[in-house]
Amino acid sequence: MDRIIEKKKWNTKRILLIAGITALIVIITLCIVYGSGKSKLTVDPERLTISEVTKGPFQEFIPVNGVVLPITTIYLDAVEGGRVEKLFVEDGTDMKAGQPIMKLADLDLELQLANQQTAVYNVLTQMQISKNQAQQNTIGYLQGMADVNNSYREAERVYKLDQKLYAQKAIGLQEYQVAVNAYDYAKNKRDLNNQILKRDSVNVKLQAQQSQDNLKNMQNSLELMKQKVGDLIVKAPVDGQLTSMDAEVGQNINKGERLGEIDVLSGYKVRVNIDEHYISRVYNGLMGDFSFADKTYKLKIKKVFTQVTNGQFQVDMEFIGAAPQGIRRGQTLQIRLALSDETQAVLVPKGGFYQTTGGNWIFKLSADGKTAYKVDIQLNRQNPDYYEVTGGLQPGDKVVTSSYDTYGDMQELVLSK
């Protein structure tokens, strides 16, 4: 007798079909959730820095450090070398112009001075001897001229007398010719002696001038030598404070070696180091400010040194108005150097978010403050406190400005209470 076989409801084929359909539904659901939705991350708001976007005055500036220096520093270099024989003052002493600082000794230089003095004395002595000799020669020439003139006058008298007698035929031609010859000789001799006397006068003046010029040159050399010996005593060139002096008795100092500095204390300047990145934006006239003793003081760049050393260049800044009371040489000041004028701008406080986003986007809080979502933004200038916002945010918006390092590619933050 045949038996009816009951059909199974959950056979293998049916189970596989149902499992496949279920898996397909799950996959489709996940694609819908994660493909078309946003990736979210729940975070503790206590660990976030939430800042408000504001509108206010903005000025681009950079923080720099400056060192206070005297407004003028005079360097003391050894004009002459020598051994330190005596120190008159110590480092840090307030000096008056011309006040001795130290004495150097140089025996060779002092010997040269003595030799030059002797040479000048010898020249003076020789000049006196030559002058006396010239005077004696002149006296001899004058005496000879007197004799010649006397002979000339006598020859002239005889000549004129014989000329009359000869005309009257009282004397013969021979006697008259003797008188003529004697007269011509006396006249020629007188003219020759006049020339000798004039030449002597010119020679005396020329020799005297040459001797004076030689003496003057030697005296100038002597004065120069005295000055060189005088430079062995190092003196303060101006009123000020002696600094950086490093010399000991017995030490040998070379010519041109730095002995110290004189700081003119009539005012101060500030020497500032700035990163070379800003060299094209820094120029004379830029302003800066700093706080000292609960007051704010202003500075202005007066000189830019364009030489770059170790990635930095330097500028000198002067005080606008009086320098602060109590400020000292070598003191370090923290200065805010302005790179632009103050303008009104939309501002977002600086924070760790920039390292992740590069300033291209930020997490902005929703109106209810329960979530924060990505928004694209545009940032322009910056200072140590703020970024200037040029697009994507409005005053009053609240944003997350702390670090995003742990958020990965999350599109939305859920702020858990």
Side-chain angles (χ1 to χ4, degrees), residues 91-102:
D91 190 30
T93 304
D94 290 334
M95 306 294 297
K96 294 293 183 181
Q99 182 177 348
I101 297 174
M102 70 177 69

Side-chain angles (χ1 to χ4, degrees), residues 110-128:
E110 293 173 359
L111 180 60
Q112 291 177 25
L113 174 61
N115 291 336
Q116 188 68 24
Q117 288 174 328
T118 301
V120 171
Y121 175 77
N122 290 337
V123 168
L124 285 172
T125 302
Q126 187 61 42
M127 283 180 62
Q128 188 61 45

Side-chain angles (χ1 to χ4, degrees), residues 171-413:
I171 60 175
L173 176 61
Q174 182 65 29
E175 186 176 354
Y176 171 68
Q177 192 62 46
V178 171
V180 171
N181 292 339
Y183 170 73
D184 290 339
Y185 172 76
K187 182 180 179 182
N188 290 335
K189 190 173 182 180
R190 184 197 66 170
D191 293 340
L192 179 61
N193 273 267
N194 279 332
Q195 292 179 5
I196 293 174
L197 190 60
K198 289 180 180 179
R199 185 173 297 177
D200 176 69
S201 177
V202 172
N203 289 338
V204 168
K205 290 182 179 179
L206 182 60
Q207 290 177 1
Q209 185 62 47
Q210 290 175 343
S211 297
Q212 287 293 334
D213 292 341
N214 185 37
L215 176 62
K216 185 176 180 180
N217 290 334
M218 297 194 69
Q219 287 177 332
N220 289 338
S221 298
L222 177 61
E223 290 301 318
L224 181 60
M225 191 61 64
K226 287 181 178 179
Q227 182 179 343
K228 290 168 70 71
V229 173
D231 288 335
L232 293 174
I233 299 179
V234 181
K235 299 178 181 179
V238 294
D239 293 351
Q241 186 180 56
L242 176 64
T243 60
S244 304
M245 188 180 80
D246 184 16
E248 300 293 338
V249 173
Q251 179 180 350
N252 286 320
I253 303 295
N254 296 322
K255 185 176 182 179
E257 186 174 339
R258 181 63 47 84
L259 299 176
E261 301 173 2
I262 296 287
D263 293 337
V264 180
L265 303 180
S266 58
Y268 293 98
K269 64 183 178 183
V270 180
R271 179 70 53 84
V272 179
N273 292 318
I274 304 176
D275 191 279
E276 64 177 329
H277 172 74
Y278 299 100
I279 194 168
S280 62
R281 303 188 60 188
V282 174
Y283 51 87
N284 290 345
L286 283 184
M287 302 293 294
D289 60 68
F290 68 96
S291 297
F292 184 83
D294 299 326
K295 291 184 179 180
T296 300
Y297 296 87
K298 292 186 177 297
L299 297 165
K300 180 173 70 174
I301 293 180
K302 69 172 184 178
K303 187 174 184 180
V304 178
F305 302 92
T306 55
Q307 182 178 358
V308 177
T309 304
N310 296 327
Q312 292 185 321
F313 66 101
Q314 293 182 322
V315 301
D316 278 347
M317 304 189 74
E318 61 182 358
F319 290 94
I320 304 300
Q325 293 291 331
I327 203 167
R328 291 290 181 268
R329 183 187 194 276
Q331 188 169 352
T332 300
L333 303 178
Q334 295 181 339
I335 302 168
R336 296 179 0 141
L337 180 62
L339 300 179
S340 68
D341 295 330
E342 188 175 280
T343 58
Q344 291 291 316
V346 178
L347 307 174
V348 61
K350 299 189 78 170
F353 76 94
Y354 190 89
Q355 280 68 37
T356 301
T357 71
N360 296 315
W361 59 270
I362 199 169
F363 280 118
K364 174 182 172 182
L365 269 65
S366 60
D368 58 11
K370 294 181 179 180
T371 60
Y373 55 94
K374 271 186 176 182
V375 295
D376 292 332
I377 60 174
Q378 292 84 44
L379 303 181
N380 188 15
R381 298 175 298 172
Q382 62 177 295
N383 61 33
D385 300 321
Y386 295 100
Y387 293 109
E388 179 188 24
V389 182
T390 56
L393 296 175
Q394 298 295 327
D397 291 343
K398 292 186 177 180
V399 293
V400 179
T401 54
S402 51
S403 175
Y404 295 176
D405 287 345
T406 59
Y407 299 162
D409 296 328
M410 295 296 107
Q411 300 291 315
E412 187 175 335
L413 304 179

